[in-house]
Amino acid sequence: MSENPLAPPRLRFPEDASALTARIWPASATRTDDGELAVGGVAAADLVAQYGSPLYVVDERDVQSRAARVRTAFTDAFARIGTRAHVYYAAKAFLTTQVAAWMAEADLRLDVCSAGEMAVGLAAGVDPARMGLHGNDKSDAEIARAVELGLGTIVLDSHEEIGRVARAATAAGTVQRVRIRINSGVHASTHDYLATAREDQKFGIPLTEAVAAAEAVRAEPSLAFVGLHSHIGSQIFEESGFREAARRLMDVHAELVATGPVPELNLGGGWGIDYTEADSAFDPEDVAEALATIVAEACAERDIPVPEVAVEPGRYIVGPAGLTLYRVGTIKPVVLEDEHGTAATRTYVSVDGGMSDNVRPALYGADYTARLVRTSDVPAVLTRVVGKHCESGDVVVNDEYLPGDVRRGDLLAVAATGAYCWSLASNYNHVGRPPVVAVADGAARILVRGESIDDLLARDTGVVVGPGR
């Protein structure tokens, strides 16, 4: 067998369609002696037998290790330039009370974007002073709750929020620490929906208005100006965007230092992870060293103190530590012609989930890697893994080589689904969201239970209890 002409250039025909590339799969993912996939010392087939499918699986030790690695990388890099680094976990990537507790145990702070995420952090025992609140359209209730709790920082995303947060702090009789989110104008190399610093954008205050916004904050007795904040996007592999954003923020930071204290600088997150063989992710040590060097050089050039620095990784910590297990259903070979008129076959492999548990391929055109839970020596065929929903765009993995004997009833694993899959899950077609299971040291436990049909009907006020229910 050879490469299928319908395959994209990034996808190479595999020598072994059962092999697990370490940088893509959870750290504990392995093949047992009989070739079965196991994670955290637990066989994937046993997990599905106990919890059903689809099933989100999280390698608990991998999450904890990645959180600790980021914390150490930034602590060490910024200590070398004479300052401290604060690492916030971007909760939007994946948040449960247990995940929040893992972050706190690793000495990470928590970046939240809603009253719900605040509530999860509180339920996990996270100190409100170690949380930061983001959002381009925070409600009055969310602002008041954050101020009432004594949240560590609120990130101001617009000029109008300055007054709104100041009034809430005044009413509460407190002084609220705030940052100003700056739209740096850096065009990150990523999907348009993941780029958050372009000019035609809902997030942040333009760079040219940053000084005026800071002066407005300083004029409010109930606000304490902590510093500037930048986030250029997500799933970024090119270092140049982070460097340029840091340089632009340092220019404004230096201007503000001349007129008052600016203790911190928040450089955001957005580092990419490896979803496929074609990706090439940063190591956190390299990111930390690069940012530390930029900040140190900029401060030396301007003869200003080196500020404390904050960063906000999310995907990097939980993305590679997760996978999703599915049961294969319908197999449908489709004969097509390539651009040269040559006939080729793409095999559609349907699974028992789809865009309700992973909308990223439909939303962003995201690519993933898939493997059968069992091994096979049968030559690979080009497949498209699709879901069960009533949408042509219901694609789980757009292009993947799987063994040619893939069949109904097989279990399929999709790698690197720890970030933004459960968070974006829906009940489309009235399908319940899957459970989330953590695995470690040969044992599994539920982090979030799955939804049943009764759960889906529980909020429907028209339901009549009677025969058949």
Side-chain angles (χ1 to χ4, degrees):
M1 297 292 288
S2 61
E3 291 189 12
N4 189 308
L6 299 174
R10 69 162 182 82
L11 186 64
R12 300 301 180 190
F13 188 82
E15 294 182 7
D16 180 0
S18 299
L20 305 175
T21 301
R23 61 189 173 87
I24 296 172
W25 293 84
S28 66
T30 188
R31 295 284 186 185
T32 63
D33 291 342
D34 58 1
E36 297 295 300
L37 175 67
V39 188
V42 185
D46 291 344
L47 289 170
V48 172
Q50 183 172 358
Y51 301 106
S53 65
L55 179 66
Y56 297 116
V57 181
V58 177
D59 182 339
E60 180 175 342
R61 299 287 178 256
D62 197 11
V63 172
Q64 293 168 327
S65 174
R66 297 177 75 87
R69 183 180 176 185
V70 172
R71 183 77 185 92
T72 298
F74 278 87
T75 296
D76 291 350
F78 281 87
R80 281 192 282 275
I81 66 169
T83 191
R84 294 195 302 169
H86 306 293
V87 180
Y88 288 78
Y89 170 65
K92 61 183 180 289
F94 173 52
L95 184 66
T96 71
T97 54
Q98 189 61 72
V99 170
W102 293 342
M103 297 305 114
E105 290 165 5
D107 198 27
L108 269 61
R109 302 181 182 194
L110 196 64
D111 168 45
V112 298
C113 298
S114 69
E117 289 183 350
M118 275 191 279
V120 174
L122 290 174
V126 176
D127 181 353
R130 293 177 61 82
M131 291 189 205
L133 176 64
H134 269 290
N136 68 295
D137 188 31
K138 307 173 192 71
S139 69
D140 289 340
E142 286 172 326
I143 291 172
R145 179 60 171 156
V147 171
E148 173 193 357
L149 289 172
L151 234 63
T153 56
I154 296 177
V155 180
L156 303 175
D157 199 85
S158 62
H159 289 284
E160 76 164 50
E161 278 193 353
I162 298 171
R164 293 176 63 215
V165 175
R167 287 191 291 274
T170 298
T174 190
V175 175
Q176 176 62 51
R177 288 163 44 91
V178 298
R179 307 180 194 273
I180 299 175
R181 179 163 180 169
I182 301 302
N183 185 335
S184 64
V186 171
H187 289 211
S189 179
T190 187
H191 191 284
D192 283 351
Y193 290 176
L194 297 175
T196 58
R198 297 177 182 177
E199 292 83 354
D200 192 1
Q201 175 62 249
K202 74 175 185 176
F203 291 112
I205 292 173
L207 194 67
T208 54
E209 300 172 16
V211 172
E215 290 173 348
V217 169
R218 285 170 168 170
E220 295 286 355
S222 61
L223 300 182
F225 179 53
V226 174
L228 303 176
H229 177 283
S230 170
H231 184 69
I232 63 173
S234 298
Q235 190 55 9
I236 300 168
F237 294 109
E238 295 181 7
E239 185 182 289
S240 57
F242 296 111
R243 287 183 174 274
E244 180 60 18
R247 184 191 67 77
R248 294 185 187 185
L249 251 69
M250 285 304 303
D251 286 340
V252 180
H253 177 92
E255 188 174 350
L256 292 171
V257 166
T259 56
V262 191
E264 292 186 17
L265 180 68
N266 190 317
L267 296 175
W271 329 322
I273 64 169
D274 295 320
Y275 285 103
T276 71
E277 295 279 0
D279 296 326
S280 181
F282 297 116
D283 286 330
E285 293 81 6
D286 294 338
V287 179
E289 289 293 342
L291 293 180
T293 299
I294 292 167
V295 171
E297 290 176 351
C299 290
E301 290 169 3
R302 295 160 177 81
D303 192 26
I304 59 174
V306 178
E308 295 185 1
V309 170
V311 291
E312 298 169 350
R315 184 194 313 266
Y316 173 83
I317 293 172
V318 294
L323 60 79
T324 305
L325 297 173
Y326 299 97
R327 179 79 67 180
V328 172
T330 301
I331 309 291
K332 187 182 296 184
V334 177
V335 179
L336 304 166
E337 289 187 356
D338 68 10
E339 57 185 8
H340 304 295
T342 303
T345 299
R346 187 196 316 279
T347 299
Y348 278 75
V349 177
S350 298
V351 295
D352 57 353
M355 64 192 302
S356 60
D357 58 76
N358 188 355
V359 76
R360 293 188 69 254
L363 190 60
Y364 307 133
D367 291 316
Y368 282 90
T369 295
R371 293 289 183 268
L372 293 184
V373 165
R374 64 176 174 86
T375 53
S376 171
D377 295 328
V378 175
V381 296
L382 181 66
T383 65
R384 177 164 291 164
V385 180
V386 295
K388 63 181 291 179
H389 299 288
C390 295
E391 300 282 345
S392 296
D394 178 25
V395 175
V396 179
V397 183
N398 205 54
D399 299 282
E400 181 61 284
Y401 283 109
L402 292 175
D405 62 347
V406 57
R407 56 184 179 264
R408 172 178 287 275
D410 269 334
L411 294 180
L412 182 84
V414 176
T417 60
Y420 297 105
C421 291
W422 185 86
S423 298
L424 290 168
S426 74
N427 293 132
Y428 185 47
N429 290 154
H430 270 63
V431 172
R433 287 172 291 188
V436 185
V437 174
V439 290
D441 308 322
R445 60 193 175 99
I446 285 282
L447 294 184
V448 183
R449 69 173 179 82
E451 290 177 321
S452 66
I453 295 294
D454 284 342
D455 290 325
L456 298 180
L457 291 172
R459 292 183 298 155
D460 189 328
T461 63
V463 172
V464 176
V465 178
R469 286 216 65 228

